[in-house]
Amino acid sequence: MQKDTIIELLNAREYIAVKNAAIEMNEVDLAELFEEIYEDCDDSAERESIMLKLFRLLTKDAAAEVFAYLDSSVQQVIIEALTDTELKHIIDDLYLDDCVDMIEEMPASVVKRVLKNAGAENRRLINQYLKYPDDSAGSIMTNEYISLKCGKTVAQAFDTIRSVGADMETIYTCYVTDALRHLIGTVSVRDMLLSDMGTVIDDIMDENVIFAKTMDDKEEVAKLFSKYDMLSLPVVDNETRMVGIVTIDDAVDVIQEENTEDFEKMAGMAPSEESYLKTSVFKLAKNRIIWLLVLMVSAMAIGAMLEGFEAAIAGLPLLVSFIPMLMGTGGNCGSQTSTMIIRGLALDEIKTSDFIRVWFKEVRVALLCGVVLCAVNFARIYIQYADIGVATVVSLTLMITVCVSKSLGCVLPILAKKLKLDPAIMASPMITTLTDACSMLVFFNLAMGFLGERL
Amino acid sequence: MQKDTIIELLNAREYIAVKNAAIEMNEVDLAELFEEIYEDCDDSAERESIMLKLFRLLTKDAAAEVFAYLDSSVQQVIIEALTDTELKHIIDDLYLDDCVDMIEEMPASVVKRVLKNAGAENRRLINQYLKYPDDSAGSIMTNEYISLKCGKTVAQAFDTIRSVGADMETIYTCYVTDALRHLIGTVSVRDMLLSDMGTVIDDIMDENVIFAKTMDDKEEVAKLFSKYDMLSLPVVDNETRMVGIVTIDDAVDVIQEENTEDFEKMAGMAPSEESYLKTSVFKLAKNRIIWLLVLMVSAMAIGAMLEGFEAAIAGLPLLVSFIPMLMGTGGNCGSQTSTMIIRGLALDEIKTSDFIRVWFKEVRVALLCGVVLCAVNFARIYIQYADIGVATVVSLTLMITVCVSKSLGCVLPILAKKLKLDPAIMASPMITTLTDACSMLVFFNLAMGFLGERL
């Protein structure tokens, strides 16, 4: 149902119609509806009243799920308007990881109210989860999983699932632990359904468990999901005691976030936490200005270098007309290579030990591309100016530029990785600036050498 | 277990040790082992013999799964070495989508042999699936799902799952169809486990099914997964008859592929199907040369434009020293913006209808960044040359360049999207070239205007 229809119905007090419409809708779409109301309504009192009315018309289950999908700014409006009892219900129904995500974005006063209304056990868990660093597996895990003690039968396992399964984020993989909560295996509902009810789960469990530790990098954890095609991954503490699971939906979010971060870093920006439209102008400018300044100052240095060739420029101003082509092509060649290498490193398709192989490959690609580009250039210059000297200098510079830029494009990201830096910073802007410096130096030195008598 | 140990054991005919070791290993890791043997062994006869021995030591179930994870070049070596009977077993055990993926990469002779050894029904399905275009939902779907006729009870549903579930790619969501195979709802194993055995599935099924059509773009299908947090998605034909499902592992692969494609396109390359190390030098060069040529010719045009200002350049060669800074900063500003916008469009965080809002935001960011960059530039030029004229011309050009490049960086990707082109082509290389042209034109015209008497 559309936002406007809903608002009309709410204003006309047709609450039953809205309630029924909401039941038919998917929770994600309902959450989007809240976002639309939040964004399009200018009067904040009216906005709050509409959102609250609509929220109170949701079924209890839907309310928690819709709430989890909301953006933190919208969540805050709703929390502030809810009574303590309502808030308590929502917190009880939220999955722990969603609850922790929400709390992380809230101002202190709201956090206090949320914690006050969470039960004692919930509060303890929330506080524990809040301690995991932002980029750790612990920060994206949840404690809503089915844990089975070893020695149980399939029938007993199904009883456990029936009694607690409604609250669990995933029930399809159950985790088998010993008396000390050490993770010793996993058993899938599929295997249990295909086994006799009397089978002991130890006999059908998979003991080769792939797991993560709470402090593992969440990016590495997400990679395990796409590598092993899993739906959930157990997380253990340092004593391999089971503490939580990560589910695939959160892993997919991590994958997309990391990709976005790489895109941003590779274009010379500090990554932003929020989506583009929700980031303020000031924040956007702040994220971008540092690299712009660093790169601008580097480019100034290249300019200062050109001052040394003022005589050559004054003597043969035609040379200047090749600068955009040389700088542009060098930059493009370098960013092609660095993009391929950075992406290959991110997907683990390239390892730092492949360095020589990659570099040799890039040199050959550079020679192939370089020959074509030089041929086009030489022909064009010769036809237009009938000047073999200039054509030679430009083509030679181009060839060297292509080889250098493609070499830098593969060497620098791999070097960054070796030094435990993020390869994504060695992307287009950085490579382009370095290549520019090199190509200008080569160009004017070659020009002085080959065309010296004409300058 | 490590590759070298395995090879030693195989050569020593310690087959039982290898077999036991393989049972302990995850199929993905086994597949990686095959890849390592394939890559590191130079003698092709020895390589084939080792791989075949190892493959034959795998259990029947593991063999098909390992095979599905192998790269097509490795699959080909194995297929060519297997007997017809062995091949038949593998094909029977492969999920249909993995089998189709494999066939797509094989040369005609191998395809013929695979189809000959597939059963008649399998062959018909393979041929049908092969017809779906490469970027469609049909191309990534599988027919191994559990379909339940409406009217059945939970107990009957579990019987169905028990009898056919072992062969199915996912059993956790079952699809409810009517007599004409129309998809009318989904029911999860979780809900069935939590219900009475006598419940009719129609009463607990979810009728708000999110589904795709066979010809839908697979990228859009993958987005549905991350939007609605699903594990599998039903695919229907034009008459909403159920034809297959897409599972989340394939959706994650599509997400990663699309991200890689965007990275490649945004760096001015034709996307490649294979991973970097597996792509030949010639193919890499071919993927890159077209854009390099197009952009080089454009940069030549910018150069030709500069020829018109030869007098200015000869008169005040100092001007040339600002070219790298102006071109570099313009390019960096433009690629920052275009990257943000292209990524926002790809994630549906920005819609084409947000155009005015986005542009207004970018103009304000441009003004903020521009002021800082200009201030640094003006100060530096004034301090170094004490030349207010040059400082003004450079700073003014820089301000205009930043505004133009950030505007182009948001206008062009959104325009491309409106014209149903891929926004990723309007990325850094394209924007940089356009910005270069604009900034050079502005720079020398301003120079002629402000500093005319000195040139």
Side-chain angles (χ1 to χ4, degrees):
Chain A
M1 193 176 285
Q2 291 307 302
K3 188 196 71 181
D4 298 334
T5 330
I6 294 272
I7 294 182
E8 261 174 49
L9 285 173
L10 284 174
N11 288 336
R13 297 172 176 263
E14 300 272 9
Y15 297 136
I16 303 206
V18 175
K19 194 174 179 125
N20 289 334
I23 290 174
E24 294 293 308
M25 283 175 74
N26 182 292
E27 286 76 12
V28 177
D29 297 323
L30 276 168
E32 269 187 5
L33 190 69
F34 277 94
E35 308 263 339
E36 274 178 49
I37 296 172
Y38 178 81
E39 272 174 33
D40 296 347
C41 215
D42 293 327
D43 177 349
S44 77
E46 188 197 339
R47 179 169 78 178
E48 194 186 299
S49 131
I50 294 176
M51 281 165 57
L52 200 62
K53 274 186 204 160
L54 180 55
F55 193 75
R56 284 179 171 148
L57 287 171
L58 301 178
T59 61
K60 194 167 155 290
D61 283 353
E65 205 173 329
V66 169
F67 188 83
Y69 281 114
L70 292 176
D71 221 75
S72 57
S73 37
V74 187
Q75 285 178 333
Q76 193 179 335
V77 174
I78 293 182
I79 292 185
E80 286 174 348
L82 288 179
T83 66
D84 274 8
T85 325
E86 286 171 322
L87 183 57
K88 202 169 149 47
H89 280 306
I90 295 292
I91 298 168
D92 282 349
D93 283 350
L94 275 180
Y95 289 126
L96 187 61
D97 55 343
D98 292 329
C99 189
V100 172
D101 285 350
M102 170 195 74
I103 289 179
E104 277 173 341
E105 304 291 322
M106 295 291 141
S109 60
V110 178
V111 173
K112 220 169 143 186
R113 216 181 128 220
V114 169
L115 287 177
K116 198 189 81 187
N117 287 293
E121 169 64 6
N122 233 342
R123 188 158 51 235
R124 190 187 64 77
L125 284 170
I126 291 172
N127 278 322
Q128 180 193 329
Y129 274 50
L130 280 172
K131 281 191 204 111
Y132 295 115
D134 226 22
D135 58 352
S136 69
S139 77
I140 53 167
M141 75 182 181
T142 175
N143 74 332
E144 277 95 358
Y145 60 89
I146 301 221
S147 151
L148 300 171
K149 283 272 169 295
C150 55
K152 300 235 173 180
T153 63
V154 169
Q156 288 172 316
F158 277 125
D159 284 343
T160 309
I161 294 177
R162 283 205 190 86
S163 67
V164 298
D167 293 331
M168 297 303 161
E169 188 148 356
T170 179
I171 62 161
Y172 299 128
T173 305
C174 302
Y175 299 91
V176 185
T177 53
D178 63 14
L180 295 168
R181 282 204 299 126
H182 294 121
L183 175 66
I184 55 171
T186 62
V187 57
S188 68
V189 166
R190 173 202 290 249
D191 289 338
M192 289 197 281
L193 277 175
L194 299 175
S195 304
D196 273 345
M197 282 297 149
T199 315
V200 175
I201 52 173
D202 305 42
D203 296 338
I204 52 169
M205 75 181 179
D206 183 357
E207 288 168 65
N208 292 307
V209 186
I210 292 155
F211 60 87
K213 297 200 161 185
T214 46
M215 299 304 278
D216 284 354
D217 186 330
K218 68 179 180 187
E219 193 177 347
E220 296 302 319
V221 172
K223 276 188 200 166
L224 289 177
F225 274 87
S226 52
K227 181 170 175 189
Y228 293 104
D229 290 348
M230 295 177 299
L231 299 180
S232 58
L233 178 85
V235 184
V236 300
D237 63 15
N238 281 327
E239 283 82 44
T240 70
R241 278 187 308 239
M242 180 87 193
V243 286
I245 59 166
V246 175
T247 49
I248 178 124
D249 53 322
D250 294 318
V252 171
D253 289 345
V254 170
I255 290 175
Q256 286 293 43
E257 269 167 36
E258 297 293 336
N259 281 322
T260 302
E261 256 188 57
D262 274 357
F263 275 111
E264 289 172 349
K265 282 189 201 154
M266 286 168 73
M269 287 176 280
S272 57
E273 304 266 302
E274 298 251 39
S275 71
Y276 176 80
L277 288 177
K278 296 219 167 94
T279 314
S280 71
V281 168
F282 186 75
K283 185 82 196 288
L284 283 175
K286 201 182 126 212
N287 285 343
R288 299 181 191 180
I289 193 70
I290 312 237
W291 269 107
L292 287 180
L293 278 173
V294 170
L295 295 168
M296 188 179 80
V297 171
S298 318
M300 280 177 180
I302 302 173
M305 206 174 71
L306 290 188
E307 282 175 47
F309 301 105
E310 271 193 16
I313 292 168
L316 196 54
L318 175 65
L319 292 179
V320 173
S321 76
F322 300 107
I323 294 181
M325 187 277 293
L326 289 170
M327 294 200 348
T329 307
N332 292 330
C333 283
S335 61
Q336 286 181 333
T337 300
S338 62
T339 300
M340 286 297 267
I341 306 305
I342 292 169
R343 185 67 183 157
L345 289 169
L347 294 178
D348 287 336
E349 287 174 359
I350 298 175
K351 301 190 189 71
T352 51
S353 55
D354 293 320
F355 172 64
I356 298 292
R357 220 170 127 195
V358 170
W359 183 66
F360 182 52
K361 200 159 195 168
E362 282 304 316
V363 169
R364 284 176 294 163
V365 175
L367 290 175
L368 272 177
C369 290
V371 165
V372 177
L373 297 174
C374 285
V376 172
N377 245 290
F378 194 94
R380 178 246 166 179
I381 298 172
Y382 185 73
I383 292 167
Q384 193 166 355
Y385 307 106
D387 189 330
I388 293 201
V390 170
T392 309
V393 168
V394 171
S395 302
L396 212 54
T397 307
L398 187 60
M399 194 70 198
I400 296 173
T401 303
V402 172
C403 289
V404 168
S405 64
K406 293 227 173 267
S407 294
L408 286 177
C410 80
V411 171
L412 293 183
I414 295 182
L415 190 71
K417 175 101 181 186
K418 271 245 188 247
L419 298 175
K420 309 243 180 264
L421 297 170
D422 187 339
I425 56 169
M426 293 300 181
S428 182
M430 179 72 115
I431 306 278
T432 301
T433 307
L434 289 174
T435 307
D436 284 353
C438 159
S439 82
M440 288 301 101
L441 212 55
V442 170
F443 183 50
F444 284 103
N445 276 312
L446 284 181
M448 307 269 273
F450 279 81
L451 312 168
E453 73 282 2
R454 291 160 61 187
L455 302 177
Chain B
M1 194 178 284
Q2 290 306 302
K3 189 195 68 176
D4 297 333
T5 332
I6 293 271
I7 293 181
E8 261 174 48
L9 286 173
L10 284 175
N11 287 335
R13 296 172 177 263
E14 300 271 12
Y15 297 136
I16 302 204
V18 176
K19 195 174 176 123
N20 289 334
I23 289 174
E24 294 292 309
M25 284 174 73
N26 182 291
E27 286 76 13
V28 176
D29 297 323
L30 277 168
E32 268 188 4
L33 189 69
F34 276 95
E35 308 262 341
E36 272 178 49
I37 296 173
Y38 178 81
E39 272 174 32
D40 296 347
C41 213
D42 293 326
D43 177 348
S44 77
E46 188 198 339
R47 178 169 79 179
E48 194 186 299
S49 131
I50 294 176
M51 281 165 55
L52 200 63
K53 274 187 204 160
L54 179 56
F55 193 75
R56 283 180 173 146
L57 287 170
L58 301 178
T59 62
K60 195 167 155 291
D61 282 354
E65 205 173 331
V66 169
F67 187 84
Y69 281 115
L70 291 176
D71 221 75
S72 56
S73 38
V74 187
Q75 286 178 333
Q76 193 179 337
V77 174
I78 293 182
I79 292 185
E80 284 173 349
L82 289 178
T83 67
D84 275 8
T85 325
E86 287 171 322
L87 182 58
K88 203 170 148 48
H89 280 306
I90 296 290
I91 298 169
D92 281 350
D93 283 350
L94 275 180
Y95 288 126
L96 187 60
D97 55 342
D98 291 330
C99 189
V100 172
D101 285 350
M102 169 196 74
I103 288 179
E104 277 173 340
E105 305 291 322
M106 295 291 142
S109 60
V110 177
V111 173
K112 220 170 141 183
R113 219 181 126 220
V114 169
L115 288 177
K116 199 188 80 185
N117 286 294
E121 170 64 8
N122 233 340
R123 189 157 52 233
R124 190 187 65 77
L125 283 170
I126 291 171
N127 278 320
Q128 181 194 327
Y129 274 50
L130 280 172
K131 281 191 203 112
Y132 295 115
D134 226 22
D135 58 352
S136 68
S139 75
I140 52 167
M141 73 182 183
T142 176
N143 73 332
E144 277 94 358
Y145 59 89
I146 302 222
S147 151
L148 300 172
K149 284 273 168 294
C150 55
K152 300 235 173 180
T153 63
V154 168
Q156 288 172 316
F158 277 125
D159 284 343
T160 309
I161 294 176
R162 283 202 191 89
S163 66
V164 298
D167 293 331
M168 296 302 158
E169 189 148 357
T170 179
I171 62 161
Y172 299 127
T173 305
C174 302
Y175 298 91
V176 185
T177 54
D178 64 14
L180 295 168
R181 283 204 298 125
H182 294 121
L183 175 66
I184 55 172
T186 62
V187 57
S188 69
V189 165
R190 171 201 290 246
D191 289 337
M192 291 198 282
L193 278 175
L194 300 175
S195 304
D196 273 344
M197 283 296 150
T199 315
V200 176
I201 51 174
D202 304 42
D203 295 339
I204 52 169
M205 75 182 178
D206 183 355
E207 289 169 65
N208 292 308
V209 186
I210 292 155
F211 61 88
K213 298 201 161 184
T214 47
M215 300 302 281
D216 285 354
D217 187 331
K218 68 180 180 188
E219 193 177 348
E220 296 303 318
V221 172
K223 276 188 200 164
L224 290 177
F225 275 87
S226 52
K227 181 170 174 188
Y228 293 104
D229 289 349
M230 296 178 296
L231 300 180
S232 58
L233 177 85
V235 184
V236 299
D237 64 13
N238 282 327
E239 282 82 46
T240 69
R241 278 187 309 240
M242 179 88 193
V243 288
I245 60 165
V246 175
T247 49
I248 179 124
D249 53 322
D250 295 318
V252 171
D253 289 345
V254 170
I255 289 175
Q256 286 292 42
E257 270 167 37
E258 297 294 336
N259 281 322
T260 302
E261 258 189 55
D262 274 357
F263 275 110
E264 288 171 349
K265 282 189 200 154
M266 286 168 72
M269 285 176 281
S272 57
E273 304 266 300
E274 300 250 39
S275 71
Y276 176 80
L277 288 177
K278 295 218 167 95
T279 312
S280 71
V281 168
F282 185 75
K283 186 80 197 288
L284 283 175
K286 202 182 123 211
N287 285 342
R288 299 181 190 180
I289 193 71
I290 312 236
W291 268 106
L292 287 180
L293 278 173
V294 169
L295 295 167
M296 188 178 80
V297 170
S298 317
M300 280 176 180
I302 302 173
M305 208 173 69
L306 291 187
E307 282 176 48
F309 300 104
E310 272 192 17
I313 293 167
L316 195 56
L318 174 65
L319 291 179
V320 173
S321 76
F322 300 108
I323 294 181
M325 186 279 292
L326 288 170
M327 293 200 347
T329 307
N332 291 331
C333 283
S335 62
Q336 287 180 334
T337 301
S338 63
T339 300
M340 287 297 269
I341 306 303
I342 292 169
R343 186 66 183 157
L345 288 169
L347 294 177
D348 288 336
E349 287 175 358
I350 298 176
K351 300 190 190 73
T352 51
S353 55
D354 293 321
F355 172 64
I356 297 292
R357 219 168 128 196
V358 170
W359 183 66
F360 181 53
K361 199 159 197 169
E362 282 305 315
V363 168
R364 283 175 295 162
V365 175
L367 290 175
L368 272 178
C369 290
V371 165
V372 177
L373 297 174
C374 285
V376 173
N377 245 290
F378 194 95
R380 178 245 165 181
I381 298 172
Y382 185 74
I383 292 166
Q384 192 165 358
Y385 307 105
D387 188 330
I388 293 202
V390 170
T392 310
V393 168
V394 171
S395 302
L396 212 53
T397 307
L398 187 59
M399 195 70 199
I400 296 173
T401 303
V402 173
C403 289
V404 169
S405 65
K406 292 227 173 266
S407 294
L408 286 177
C410 79
V411 171
L412 292 182
I414 295 182
L415 190 69
K417 175 100 178 185
K418 270 244 188 248
L419 297 174
K420 311 244 179 262
L421 298 170
D422 188 340
I425 56 170
M426 293 302 181
S428 181
M430 179 72 114
I431 306 279
T432 301
T433 308
L434 288 173
T435 307
D436 284 353
C438 158
S439 82
M440 288 302 100
L441 213 56
V442 169
F443 183 50
F444 284 103
N445 275 312
L446 283 181
M448 305 269 273
F450 277 81
L451 313 168
E453 73 282 2
R454 290 159 61 187
L455 303 176

